[in-house]
Amino acid sequence: QQRPSNNLQTSSFEYVKYYKPIGVTCTTDLRVKDNIIDSINHDGYIARHRVYPVGRLDKETSGLIILTSDGRIVNAVLRGERKQPKVYKVKVDGLLEDRHLQRLRDGIIIRTVAQRKGRSEEENTLIAKTKQCKVERIGPSSVEMTLVEGRNRQIRKMMEAIGFNVVKLHRVEFMGIKLSRGLTEPGDWNYLDEEEMNLVKAALRSVQQDQEEDDGRGY
């Protein structure tokens, strides 16, 4: 019987949640104006290690983003069947009818271009129906959408496909971590607390268990 490894230590890494302001670009390239590293440093966070954002938000999108020095996290929460849910509040430039909400829930064919280096735009282009998602009305022109997919500018493209432009896009939750838990203004940041770190450890543990099962099968 294979013994589970104990390689879940997290104490040597940094895990931070950040209320990304509109206008900040989710890149670690310091040559890019208004990059997220300069932004969070300006807001008072000085990293002990090199950190990077887990996933990305568009420059025009505000809200919750996680930054970490733990390279295991991306594989644990953004890849394949391990993708974690992301919750957004969305406001558009018109009145959303119930039929619009149902179309969003059922999935809409959109064209998206992934941002993967080393591939042509054609290779990175996907024309496909979005996966079913949770959509709840919060106002005449506003909804809350929960996505597991992470296609480039997906919500904006979905809204365009049903005849609307997004005027405000704001992420309030990712992998169970909530923006409202301690972050109130753009630029606010904090280290993940114990409960939030338990969510991170659960994601890491799932990857580790899958790897151990594969090793046990001789893959």
Side-chain angles (χ1 to χ4, degrees):
Q1 184 176 0
Q2 184 154 359
R3 290 185 306 167
S5 66
N6 191 28
N7 190 29
L8 272 181
Q9 69 85 20
T10 55
S11 58
S12 61
F13 300 108
E14 294 177 69
Y15 307 86
V16 172
K17 56 184 178 181
Y18 183 44
Y19 190 147
K20 186 189 92 65
I22 293 172
V24 171
T25 300
C26 287
T27 179
T28 58
D29 187 344
L30 301 181
R31 297 169 297 181
V32 175
K33 187 174 182 286
D34 298 321
N35 67 80
I36 195 168
I37 302 302
D38 283 347
S39 178
I40 196 170
N41 286 349
H42 180 266
D43 290 322
Y45 171 65
I46 305 301
R48 291 179 288 115
H49 309 92
R50 182 175 183 267
V51 297
Y52 54 90
V54 180
R56 67 179 67 210
L57 294 175
D58 295 339
K59 188 173 183 177
E60 319 88 77
T61 302
S62 62
L64 177 67
I65 191 149
I66 307 299
L67 293 100
T68 184
S69 58
D70 186 348
R72 302 170 295 177
I73 292 296
V74 169
N75 191 45
V77 303
L78 293 178
R79 300 274 166 80
E81 294 186 358
R82 299 191 187 99
K83 287 180 180 176
Q84 295 284 325
K86 301 171 281 284
V87 184
Y88 298 84
K89 290 187 176 180
V90 191
K91 184 175 182 179
V92 299
D93 61 350
L95 297 177
L96 289 163
E97 299 177 9
D98 289 345
R99 62 186 176 89
H100 296 131
L101 273 59
Q102 194 58 49
R103 285 192 63 193
L104 295 169
R105 293 184 188 111
D106 292 342
I108 295 173
I109 295 175
I110 59 172
R111 177 184 183 273
T112 52
V113 180
Q115 297 185 348
R116 296 192 187 97
K117 295 180 180 178
R119 295 187 184 184
S120 67
E121 180 172 330
E122 183 178 357
E123 290 174 315
N124 278 334
T125 297
L126 174 65
I127 300 174
K129 191 174 184 179
T130 57
K131 293 183 178 179
Q132 291 184 345
C133 63
K134 183 178 178 182
V135 181
E136 295 183 347
R137 181 185 297 280
I138 55 178
S141 303
S142 303
V143 292
E144 183 175 274
M145 298 180 65
T146 302
L147 303 184
V148 175
E149 275 184 298
R151 294 168 64 181
N152 189 28
R153 301 180 71 82
Q154 178 172 338
I155 290 176
R156 297 179 190 276
K157 294 285 183 72
M158 291 174 74
M159 288 301 186
E160 286 172 8
I162 60 172
F164 298 97
N165 293 310
V166 171
V167 295
K168 186 175 182 181
L169 184 55
H170 181 65
R171 185 156 75 185
V172 296
E173 185 176 333
F174 174 46
M175 58 180 288
I177 297 170
K178 299 179 186 295
L179 181 72
S180 59
R181 191 181 174 101
L183 306 183
T184 58
E185 300 287 340
D188 285 353
W189 65 273
N190 211 336
Y191 295 102
L192 298 191
D193 62 27
E194 182 178 1
E195 187 174 319
E196 292 164 337
M197 282 305 303
N198 285 338
L199 295 170
V200 170
K201 291 175 182 177
L204 293 173
R205 191 174 294 113
S206 175
V207 175
Q208 178 180 286
Q209 289 171 347
D210 288 348
Q211 290 172 341
E212 288 170 352
E213 288 175 6
D214 288 348
D215 290 345
R217 296 188 189 103
Y219 290 170

